[in-house]
Amino acid sequence: MAKQLHCPICKKPVEATVEDFPFCSDRCRVMDLAKWASGDYKVSSPIQDPDLLEELSRSHRNQPDQSTDDE
């Protein structure tokens, strides 16, 4: 017997053959999209944009040394 699938928004049972799969309806699909758009969902992997990493590296190199010589 196949495992019962559930809509990630409302938890209703859903068939893998429905048009809005994995959601049970267009309403739940749009609600999920709204959560992404509002920032409720986030991708947890680090940013791997080479341009951004280079910019961060340059700004770190240009900062004055924070160490103190109080000896």
Side-chain angles (χ1 to χ4, degrees), residues 50-69:
D51 295 334
L52 179 58
L53 292 173
E54 178 61 30
E55 183 180 326
L56 290 171
S57 177
R58 272 196 310 261
S59 68
H60 182 69
R61 284 190 301 246
N62 293 336
Q63 290 180 350
D65 188 8
Q66 298 293 329
S67 64
T68 58
D69 293 330

Side-chain angles (χ1 to χ4, degrees), residues 10-61:
C10 70
K11 309 302 183 213
K12 288 181 184 176
V14 118
E15 296 291 325
T17 56
V18 297
E19 182 180 358
D20 293 307
F21 183 79
F23 307 102
C24 67
S25 65
D26 185 57
R27 177 183 171 273
C28 286
R29 185 181 56 77
V30 170
M31 288 177 66
D32 185 74
L33 180 60
K35 286 185 178 189
W36 279 105
S38 69
D40 288 350
Y41 294 152
K42 295 172 181 61
V43 177
S44 62
S45 63
I47 298 173
Q48 297 298 321
D49 181 352
D51 295 334
L52 179 58
L53 292 173
E54 178 61 30
E55 183 180 326
L56 290 171
S57 177
R58 272 196 310 261
S59 68
H60 182 69
R61 284 190 301 246

